[in-house]
Amino acid sequence: MRYTIFGESHGPAIGVVIQDLPSGIALDMEEIAREMARRAPGNSPLATARREKDVPEILSGLFEGQTTGTPLCAMIANTDQHSGDYDDVRRYPRPGHADYTGFMRYQGCADHRGGGHFSGRLTAPLVFAGAVAKQILAAEGITIGAHIRSIGGIEDLPFANREKPLTPSLLRELNRMAFPVLWKERGEEMQAEILKAKSEGDSVGGTIECAVTGLPAGMGAPDLGENVEGIVSRHVFAVPGVKAIGFGDGFGFACLRGSQANDSLRMRMGEVVSDTNHSGGINGGITNGLPLVFEVAMRPTASIAREQQTVDLENWTNATITVKGRHDPCIVQRAVPVIEAAAALAVCEVMDI
Ligand SMILES: Cc1cc2nc3c(=O)[nH]c(=O)nc-3n(C[C@H](O)[C@H](O)[C@H](O)COP(=O)(O)O)c2cc1C
C-alpha cells in the first residue's frame, strides 16, 4: 500500500490516493466518518474556529462497497477559507512554520494560503487513509489507539501503569473519547492549560503515546528500510508538528541500568511473554510480540497571536509579523487520530499489506 496526499488548505479540495490496496475489502464508511470526525475541528474553544465537515467523497477504487484494488481516491472539499488572513505570510514568513522553507524549496511558487500543503488540514486525508488501514488490520486482530501523554508539562499516566493496563479494549475506549487521557483530572488540567495559553496569545505543545496490540513476533528486519522503528518514524514524521519520537522508554533509557531496562522473557501457556515492555515491542528492528508502543512530541502551534521577528522576503530585510487567521492553540488533542493513522499505515508496511 502506498499513498499520496494532495491539495492545499485554501484550494477547492484536499484528498488522498491509496495504491496497491488489496481488492475485496468491504469498507465500513460509518467507521471512516467517525475517525474523520475525531480530527475535524468541531465546536471546541481548544481548537481552530475553522468549520469543516470533512466528509470524504470517494472518486475511485470502491465498487458496490468493496475495494477494487485499483487506486482508491478520496476527496474532501474545503468550504471555510479566509484566505485574506494570509496575505502577509507570503512576504513575511511565520517563525516556526514552513513558510520560509516552503518558499526556498518551491522558489516562491507554493500556495501560502492557510499554510498551503503544509497545513494541519492536510492530515484529514491522512486520517482517511489510516481509517482504511485500521479496518484491514482489525481483520488481522490488530488494534491501534493513543492518548494524550502530556500537554504543557502536565502528564497523564503512561500505558505502562498498574491501574489501567494496556489492552485492545482500553485502546478502543480511548478511540471514543473527545480528549483521550487515562487520568481524567489531569485531562481537565491540560485543557485549562490550553485555554490559558490561548488567552495569553500563545500556544502549548505536548506528547502523544500510541500503542498497537496484536502484532505477531518476528515482523521487520534490522536493516535500513525494513526496521520497524524506521518505518514507523518515517510515517509519523509525515505528520506536521511532530518533532521527536521514542519507542518504549525512549529517551528514558538513557537514565536506566540494564537491570531496570531489560524485559525478562518467560514461558506462559506455551508462549514467550514478558511482564514489562521497556523496549516498546521492538528488538533489533523486529517485533517481539509485545504491544508496539511509541511516544511523539508535538511542537506548540507556530502561529501565535503575538508580534514576532521575521524577515521580508521581497526586500530581504528584517521585519516583524503578527499572525492573523484561525489557529489551534494546541495541536496535540487533534493530532491523536492522525498519529494513530500514521501508525496504521506504518504497520501495513511492516506487514507487507
Ligand atoms: C491537526 C493539526 C492541526 C494543526 N493546526 C495548526 C494551526 O492551526 N496553526 C499552525 O501554525 N500550525 C498547525 N499545525 C502544525 C503545522 O502544520 C506545522 O507546524 C507546520 O507544517 C510545520 O511543520 P513542522 O512543525 O513539522 O516543522 C497543525 C498540525 C496538525 C497535525
Side-chain angles (χ1 to χ4, degrees), residues 39 48 94 96-98 118-121 123 237 239-243 298-299 301-303 326-328 331 334-335 338:
R39 192 217 66 96
T48 170
R94 286 168 292 174
H97 214 289
F118 296 96
S119 168
R121 174 133 187 81
T123 58
F237 277 111
V239 178
V242 171
K243 286 297 173 191
M298 310 286 311
R299 60 161 304 128
T301 319
S303 304
R326 299 162 296 171
H327 297 280
D328 294 291
I331 63 180
R334 291 191 61 211
V338 186

Side-chain angles (χ1 to χ4, degrees), residues 8-14 36-37 39-43 48-55 76-82 121 124 326 334:
E8 280 84 26
S9 182
H10 289 200
I14 54 177
M36 305 280 300
R39 192 217 66 96
N43 228 345
T48 170
R50 182 170 175 171
R51 297 275 163 269
E52 293 284 4
K53 287 208 173 70
D54 285 357
V55 178
I76 302 155
N78 289 325
T79 58
D80 185 21
Q81 304 98 313
H82 290 185
R121 174 133 187 81
R326 299 162 296 171
R334 291 191 61 211

Side-chain angles (χ1 to χ4, degrees), residues 176-316:
R176 299 199 181 277
M177 291 166 70
F179 197 89
V181 284
L182 303 174
W183 187 347
K184 189 167 161 279
E185 290 73 22
R186 282 291 168 89
E188 284 159 8
E189 284 176 44
M190 290 177 194
Q191 294 182 49
E193 180 64 18
I194 297 172
L195 294 176
K196 183 166 176 280
K198 184 182 177 182
S199 70
E200 292 165 3
D202 216 336
S203 63
V204 66
T207 59
I208 296 168
E209 192 181 28
C210 183
V212 183
T213 60
L215 263 178
M219 309 299 299
D223 312 301
L224 181 72
E226 278 186 81
N227 75 77
V228 176
E229 285 120 323
I231 293 171
V232 173
S233 300
R234 182 157 42 76
H235 282 268
V236 161
F237 277 111
V239 178
V242 171
K243 286 297 173 191
I245 186 165
F247 291 85
D249 286 0
F251 283 89
F253 273 116
C255 308
L256 298 178
R257 294 215 168 166
S259 55
Q260 298 168 310
N262 294 345
D263 299 310
S264 303
L265 298 174
R266 309 300 302 150
M267 288 306 298
R268 199 175 292 150
M269 292 193 285
E271 290 201 10
V272 178
V273 295
S274 179
D275 290 330
T276 60
N277 187 13
H278 296 288
S279 288
I282 307 168
N283 298 106
I286 301 170
T287 57
N288 63 18
L290 293 171
L292 166 64
V293 180
F294 66 90
E295 185 175 354
V296 299
M298 310 286 311
R299 60 161 304 128
T301 319
S303 304
I304 52 173
R306 288 187 182 192
E307 188 180 270
Q308 298 177 83
Q309 292 185 330
T310 186
V311 290
D312 179 340
L313 293 176
E314 274 180 26
N315 298 325
W316 299 99

